[in-house]
Amino acid sequence: MTRFVQLICTLLLVVSTSVLAQDPAVTALVDPAAAVQNNPAGLTAFTVTTNPDGSQSYSVTLQVLAIMTALGFIPAILMLMTSFTRVVVVLSILRQATGLQQTPSNQIIIGLALFMTLFIMRPVFDQVYTQAVEPYLNEQMLFQDAVAVGRVPMEEFMLAQTRTTDLEAFMEIAGIDAVPAGERIPLTVLVPAFVTSELKTAFQIGFMLFIPFLIIDLVVASVLMAMGMMMLSPMIVSLPFKLMLFVLVDGWNLVMGTLATSFGL
């Protein structure tokens, strides 16, 4: 869990640093010359130091400010760049298929999807931590190098789960004909393509989950119609049978195993 927190903080720092670097007002604030000119007292807590090799190092105060500012990006990173979307959609469809409106509750579904996401993404997080976060924390790698190395496993995971048709569609919308060899696909193209593929896969899995429950509903409805019980709702009668079927086949184990297997685990 500590590794996951450190990884999230690093991702937040990447996003917030990019945003701050594009803001002219913030650029003037973090420029040492502008800071000295605007602040005769010499307060340079927000500074960017240029290294001999041309790279830049941000002050600790600025890094903390960037992390605190970017806390709002945690839900977006979790939902749009991990397996969370597929898991939570499948679990929601499963709840609808069984006919249970509020059981399991939304809190349980989100919590279960969160820990399933940690389980599925653990190999990717371990690579990011080992290759980027740990060397950066040990001062063996510059921040920019750590970002370049750490984003590779995440991009590889998203590319492995993204359909070619979805990726080509968003590249066409963005006006990108082809990505030259050795260059990365922009995140503005990769992330929406990945989310679209995840939603499609989740709907396919949900369709397969719906079939056995739909058959039970049809059988119960036909029996009730044949018996002349038109006023009795088939949903009330079929619900116990659907629950019994789901428990007898160990449905939760099958669903969780299917979700993990769908990501190649």
Side-chain angles (χ1 to χ4, degrees):
M1 186 61 69
T2 303
R3 289 187 175 185
F4 178 72
V5 173
Q6 292 176 343
L7 177 61
I8 289 296
C9 291
T10 303
L11 293 176
L12 290 174
L13 185 58
V14 173
V15 176
S16 58
T17 302
S18 301
V19 174
L20 292 175
Q22 296 175 359
D23 191 344
V26 177
T27 302
L29 176 63
V30 300
D31 186 8
V36 174
Q37 182 179 359
N38 297 331
N39 188 1
L43 181 60
T44 57
F46 302 98
T47 59
V48 177
T49 304
T50 303
N51 300 319
D53 58 355
S55 60
Q56 292 180 333
S57 300
Y58 300 93
S59 63
V60 177
T61 307
L62 183 58
Q63 295 182 22
V64 173
L65 175 63
I67 293 176
M68 298 301 295
T69 305
L71 287 177
F73 288 94
I74 291 181
I77 294 175
L78 177 64
M79 291 186 294
L80 304 182
M81 298 179 65
T82 65
S83 59
F84 181 84
T85 300
R86 183 187 304 185
V87 176
V88 74
V89 170
V90 170
L91 294 180
S92 299
I93 293 177
L94 175 63
R95 183 174 65 179
Q96 294 293 327
T98 56
L100 299 173
Q101 300 299 322
Q102 299 296 331
T103 304
S105 63
N106 292 332
Q107 292 84 352
I108 295 178
I109 289 180
I110 294 175
L112 183 58
L114 175 61
F115 280 94
M116 277 296 297
T117 301
L118 295 178
F119 173 77
I120 295 171
M121 298 293 296
R122 180 177 178 179
V124 180
F125 290 159
D126 286 342
Q127 291 183 20
V128 175
Y129 183 85
T130 303
Q131 299 175 7
V133 178
E134 190 173 17
Y136 173 70
L137 295 177
N138 295 332
E139 299 183 355
Q140 299 174 355
M141 183 181 296
L142 296 177
F143 175 74
Q144 289 79 3
D145 297 334
V147 172
V149 174
R151 64 180 291 184
V152 174
M154 294 293 297
E155 291 180 351
E156 291 178 350
F157 169 80
M158 289 190 289
L159 281 174
Q161 305 299 327
T162 303
R163 291 177 172 82
T164 305
T165 54
D166 295 330
L167 189 59
E168 292 177 348
F170 280 96
M171 290 180 63
E172 182 179 355
I173 295 174
I176 302 176
D177 296 332
V179 178
E183 294 188 8
R184 300 185 180 93
I185 299 177
L187 288 178
T188 53
V189 175
L190 180 57
V191 172
F194 169 73
V195 175
T196 303
S197 296
E198 287 293 282
L199 290 175
K200 183 177 181 179
T201 303
F203 277 33
Q204 291 176 342
I205 298 176
F207 171 76
M208 299 302 297
L209 292 175
F210 245 105
I211 292 179
F213 298 112
L214 179 60
I215 294 176
I216 294 177
D217 287 334
L218 292 176
V219 172
V220 171
S222 300
V223 172
L224 292 178
M225 288 289 293
M227 297 176 63
M229 298 181 179
M230 308 234 179
M231 302 301 294
L232 183 60
S233 174
M235 295 294 297
I236 299 177
V237 180
S238 63
L239 180 58
F241 292 99
K242 290 190 288 187
L243 293 179
M244 181 181 64
L245 173 65
F246 191 71
V247 172
L248 289 178
V249 300
D250 199 4
W252 288 111
N253 189 14
L254 293 177
V255 171
M256 297 306 168
T258 300
L259 286 173
T261 305
S262 66
F263 287 97
L265 297 182

